[in-house]
Amino acid sequence: MHPRAGQPASADDLIDIPALITAYYELHPDPAEIGQQVAFGTSGHRGSALDRAFNEDHIAATTQAICDYRASVGIGGPLFIGRDPHALSEPAWATALEVLAANGVTVMIDAGDGFTPTPAISHAILLHNRDLGPGDGARADGIVVTPSHNPPRDGGFKYNPPDGGPAGTDITSVVQAHANQLLADGLRAVKRVGLSTALGASTTQRYDYLRTYVDDLPNVIDLEAIRAAGVRIGADPLGGASVDYWPAIAETYGLDLTVLNPLTDPTWRFMCLDWDGKIRMDCSSPHTMAPVIARRSEFDIATGNDADSDRHGIVTSDFGLMNPNHFLSACIDYLTSHRPGWSEDSAIGKTVVSSSMIDRVVASHNRALFEVPVGFKWYVPGLLDGSVAFGGEESAGASFLRRDGGAWSTDKDGIIACLLASEILAVTGSSPSQHYSRLTESFGNPSYARIDATATREQKVALAKLSPAQVTATSLAGEPILATMTEAPGNHAAIGGLKVMTENGWFAARPSGTEDVYKIYAESFRGGEHLAQIQSEAQEIVTAAIS
């Protein structure tokens, strides 16, 4: 833990914005260096211009690759594009617009030249495609320029296909390979015009993301109940893309809502430092959220969002900052009882590393559980066709259906998650934290944690490719092993690691994509000592399996 974690950033913590922007334009990646290539993870391509990992060349090549991809599969509708307040987002947005215009793509940019949350892009795509078939050439897609909650030095670039959610590896592998080939060829095949030409092109059009999204909110959240109950809300955008959305929500629906920090600044100088001493817009971190937590007595519900508003942080006056797993459990319990428009056959989605409290809550409502690998993309088809009513991640991301059971957003939506916290209080008279406390009385009070264990590159590769047959252990922390899995039970997709379950506990081990460690997620319904035993034996089981 950094000694200044949770304390306000100082001048020495701030990045040099002019140097960062200069690096974006002046530094060029070496296509032969793996660390300088286009690399799509679960949330798009990310990196810093200072490391030659997110530069003008990357964005020009990636945008051209997206143009070529959408042409190859017959996507001819508009492309919705938005950006967050990161310093690299605006220049990357401009580069992308120049390439899109040169390729004749109709592009929808924000009507007010403002920031656009990720869920607003997904929402816009779904609205446009609502009455179009899967092969219709008029379908729309989108790009979100954001590295999400990453530090201010980073940039990010995400592609959302016509289903509105984050692109899967079947798409990103094609885009990534083509972009890197374009880089290797010196960008000769990249079409591009100047920014003024792109902005003036007939194909560049304005779209009111904010009003379209805000005006549709009553179809997913009971805002009238929140207003009538007089719930006192404090909303902190954390300097992110929701900064103009929260005051618009308050004004439109007459909510008692205070925007705690209406400022944006690419240095994020107003933030508190995260656990490692870095500025990071992680709304699930008690260190980052320290100023919001300190004001919890002023509000019934206080909330935070990250830079692109796809994540949520929930602070209640009676408890403080809720653990994401706890809030997801409370949301699921509430929604399954208060959404009569949802089909009883629609499943509840969780990832393999989320709390088993969710399993118990879902079972109590006689709902199907849809357990998938890490990555929100796995929920997209179900959220689109209504077969999945709710999808959540332990990293504080979630989305769910409209009140009538239709699709709202197939990407994570931190704004509706925050509003749901107030709806729960307004309708039930209990805060989400009180709601969760009652769940523990019924189902037990689990202890959950994530730790890292060292591993070589070879061991990480072996872990990612494990089969259940390689695990020889028959017990874990004094209980018989009931299941050993390397595929998620919901969709049989590889989890990229191992999960072992007993009656009262489990662990999941997954290799890190950036460090020489693997992550151990573990949970026990028998307390902290039992959790520690699970964590210790988990390392022994993994070591034996990959040796």
Side-chain angles (χ1 to χ4, degrees):
M1 184 75 66
H2 194 277
R4 292 179 53 229
Q7 298 180 19
S10 66
D12 292 339
D13 300 311
L14 309 182
I15 57 168
D16 184 335
I17 299 296
L20 184 64
I21 302 301
T22 298
Y24 174 81
Y25 288 109
E26 296 299 326
L27 297 184
H28 300 277
D30 180 351
E33 289 287 336
I34 293 178
Q36 298 180 28
Q37 295 175 358
V38 173
F40 273 79
T42 55
S43 296
H45 172 71
R46 293 183 185 178
S48 179
L50 299 171
D51 303 326
R52 300 176 192 259
F54 192 93
N55 303 80
E56 185 179 27
D57 292 356
H58 295 104
I59 304 309
T62 301
T63 307
Q64 184 63 55
I66 290 171
C67 290
D68 294 342
Y69 167 77
R70 70 196 309 269
S72 72
V73 296
I75 301 172
L79 184 144
F80 294 90
I81 188 170
R83 67 183 188 275
D84 78 358
H86 274 83
L88 290 173
S89 292
E90 184 165 357
W93 176 89
T95 300
L97 187 60
E98 292 169 358
V99 175
L100 291 165
N103 281 271
V105 175
T106 298
V107 185
M108 312 303 283
I109 64 175
D110 185 69
D113 293 321
F115 304 117
T116 308
T118 285
I121 295 290
S122 179
H123 178 264
I125 295 170
L126 296 186
L127 280 184
H128 179 90
N129 296 340
R130 181 168 48 192
D131 299 320
L132 303 178
D136 197 309
R139 292 171 300 155
D141 52 3
I143 290 173
V144 193
V145 188
T146 174
S148 191
H149 61 289
N150 276 29
R153 74 192 302 270
D154 288 351
F157 203 77
K158 301 195 301 184
Y159 175 62
N160 286 32
D163 60 21
T169 53
D170 57 325
I171 297 174
T172 58
S173 60
V174 173
V175 171
Q176 175 180 304
H178 186 27
N180 284 321
Q181 186 59 54
L182 291 169
L183 283 176
D185 292 341
L187 304 179
R188 287 192 297 271
V190 173
K191 301 175 184 178
R192 191 170 178 182
V193 297
L195 181 59
S196 59
T197 300
L199 287 169
S202 61
T203 51
T204 300
Q205 301 176 14
R206 299 280 175 170
Y207 184 86
D208 195 338
Y209 289 101
L210 185 151
R211 281 264 59 97
T212 303
Y213 178 91
V214 170
D215 289 350
D216 203 15
L217 278 171
N219 290 309
V220 70
I221 294 291
D222 191 348
L223 291 163
E224 174 55 27
I226 298 173
R227 186 202 63 76
V231 178
R232 295 171 302 142
I233 305 169
D236 194 337
L238 298 185
S242 65
V243 64
D244 291 333
Y245 283 63
W246 284 111
I249 292 168
E251 180 180 0
T252 302
Y253 299 107
L255 304 185
D256 184 357
L257 189 155
T258 301
V259 179
L260 301 184
N261 174 27
L263 304 177
T264 61
D265 184 319
T267 66
W268 268 275
R269 65 180 65 245
F270 43 74
M271 293 293 293
C272 285
L273 303 182
D274 204 359
W275 64 274
D276 56 357
K278 294 182 179 180
I279 296 175
R280 185 182 288 109
M281 289 60 72
D282 182 357
C283 47
S284 66
S285 166
H287 313 293
T288 295
M289 289 282 285
V292 182
I293 297 169
R295 298 183 63 180
R296 76 185 203 191
S297 62
E298 300 176 36
F299 307 99
D300 300 314
I301 299 288
T303 65
N305 294 117
D306 63 342
D308 68 320
S309 312
D310 70 342
R311 298 191 185 200
H312 58 267
I314 307 300
V315 177
T316 63
S317 59
D318 60 278
F319 179 80
L321 180 65
M322 291 189 69
N323 177 292
N325 276 310
H326 299 179
F327 181 62
L328 292 179
S329 300
C331 289
I332 292 165
D333 189 60
Y334 171 81
L335 288 169
T336 49
S337 304
H338 292 82
R339 289 297 186 270
W342 289 5
S343 168
E344 293 182 357
D345 296 327
S346 59
I348 303 299
K350 61 162 279 189
T351 65
V352 293
V353 297
S354 298
S355 173
S356 286
M357 174 63 87
I358 294 172
D359 305 48
R360 300 184 181 196
V361 170
V362 171
S364 73
H365 289 278
N366 296 314
R367 289 271 184 172
L369 182 70
F370 183 59
E371 186 172 357
V372 298
V374 174
F376 205 79
K377 64 183 180 181
W378 302 110
Y379 299 131
V380 173
L383 288 171
L384 190 61
D385 66 17
S387 61
V388 172
F390 180 99
E393 295 184 319
E394 79 297 332
S395 54
S399 189
F400 46 92
L401 299 179
R402 293 171 178 264
R403 295 165 74 181
D404 66 1
W408 167 262
S409 168
T410 47
D411 212 329
K412 297 187 291 288
D413 191 334
I415 296 174
I416 64 169
C418 289
L419 287 170
L420 182 61
S422 291
E423 180 187 329
I424 292 172
L425 175 59
V427 172
T428 69
S430 298
S431 72
S433 50
Q434 291 169 333
H435 205 88
Y436 181 77
S437 180
R438 285 198 291 272
L439 291 177
T440 64
E441 294 173 4
S442 299
F443 304 117
N445 190 6
S447 299
Y448 176 102
R450 197 201 87 185
I451 61 173
D452 294 339
T454 58
T456 65
R457 179 172 296 182
E458 292 74 19
Q459 287 174 323
K460 290 197 299 177
V461 171
L463 175 57
K465 296 180 178 179
L466 270 183
S467 71
Q470 291 173 265
V471 178
T472 58
T474 58
S475 66
L476 173 66
E479 295 188 327
I481 291 175
L482 302 178
T484 301
M485 63 182 74
T486 55
E487 294 181 351
N491 59 359
H492 305 292
I495 64 177
L498 171 71
K499 184 172 183 179
V500 175
M501 301 183 67
T502 69
E503 181 180 357
N504 293 295
W506 59 269
F507 80 84
R510 299 179 65 249
S512 169
T514 57
E515 302 172 89
D516 289 332
V517 300
Y518 64 90
K519 304 175 189 296
I520 298 176
Y521 303 81
E523 184 174 48
S524 168
F525 277 81
R526 292 173 52 186
E529 290 186 9
H530 188 239
L531 173 64
Q533 190 177 353
I534 290 175
Q535 292 170 326
S536 176
E537 293 187 20
Q539 296 182 60
E540 297 174 7
I541 291 173
V542 171
T543 299
I546 63 179
S547 297

